[in-house]
Amino acid sequence: MDSKISRRELLTKTSVVGAGLALGSLSTASAIASDSEGRNTIGASIRRADFKKEKHVPVIELPSRIVAGQPFDLTVSVGKDIPHPNTTEHFINWICVYFKAAGESRVTELAKFEFTAHGESPMGTNKGPAHSDPHVSARMRLKKSGTLIAVSYCNIHGLWESAVTVTTV
Ligand SMILES: [Fe+2]
């Protein structure tokens, strides 16, 4: 992939969600890209892609019908079609889910999930008894339609996002 094309796509597709990110992980983010005004922003460093071709993209799964104000279960995962390694050296550190209500500029953080076991062991890397894979569910209630946004962080490959439109009935 041409890095200039990729960067241009990044700038045009990530400007909306930059403000609401998990700032606590900023210090571990790798390359910081610039936005269209030349500023180094976290939003400009988040990549999007087709999850069927790129293993880092978080996949949001929802019920087909969401009733305003009623609970539903959201599932989000990384590696749905192409598994991510999830080893001691290379793992998904966290996923955050945000909601941007229709007609509002503010983003609400809905949930954050941290994955903390990657096969670590005193006997060596990947010899530990447990791995926490990045596949989680949480119960939500939305009072109105909008956009759900998931952002994931890989310790090697940085920040990735996806978004789905939610229409409540
Ligand atoms: Fe990765």
Side-chain angles (χ1 to χ4, degrees):
M1 180 188 311
D2 185 316
S3 62
K4 290 183 179 176
I5 292 172
S6 156
R7 187 182 172 111
R8 187 172 300 125
E9 290 174 347
L10 175 80
L11 294 175
T12 58
K13 294 180 178 178
T14 61
S15 60
V16 174
V17 297
L21 298 176
L23 299 176
S25 295
L26 268 176
S27 61
T28 56
S30 51
I32 301 293
S34 299
D35 68 6
S36 59
E37 297 175 10
R39 297 173 301 192
N40 289 332
T41 66
I42 192 69
S45 300
I46 305 172
R47 291 184 272 180
R48 280 191 178 189
D50 181 349
F51 77 90
K52 294 180 178 175
K53 298 176 181 171
E54 168 52 63
K55 63 180 174 285
H56 292 93
V57 178
V59 177
I60 300 168
E61 296 179 90
L62 303 166
S64 58
R65 185 171 186 269
I66 296 176
V67 178
Q70 295 301 306
F72 67 93
D73 290 341
L74 171 150
T75 297
V76 61
S77 60
V78 171
K80 179 180 164 96
D81 274 22
I82 307 172
H84 190 271
N86 302 332
T87 63
T88 305
E89 303 88 350
H90 182 188
F91 53 86
I92 301 299
N93 198 177
W94 51 259
I95 298 173
C96 284
V97 181
Y98 305 89
F99 179 63
K100 186 172 181 295
E104 296 185 16
S105 57
R106 182 176 164 275
V107 174
T108 299
E109 181 179 286
L110 289 176
K112 59 176 75 168
F113 308 96
E114 187 174 8
F115 308 102
T116 53
H118 310 290
E120 301 88 343
S121 169
M123 296 180 303
T125 56
N126 299 303
K127 295 190 181 332
H131 293 257
S132 47
D133 287 334
H135 184 125
V136 290
S137 293
R139 187 150 291 177
M140 312 277 169
R141 285 178 288 123
L142 300 176
K143 292 180 178 173
K144 58 194 292 191
S145 300
T147 304
L148 285 164
I149 302 157
V151 180
S152 61
Y153 177 69
C154 167
N155 71 317
I156 302 292
H157 300 104
L159 294 162
W160 297 81
E161 75 167 350
S162 65
V164 296
T165 300
V166 177
T167 303
T168 56
V169 294

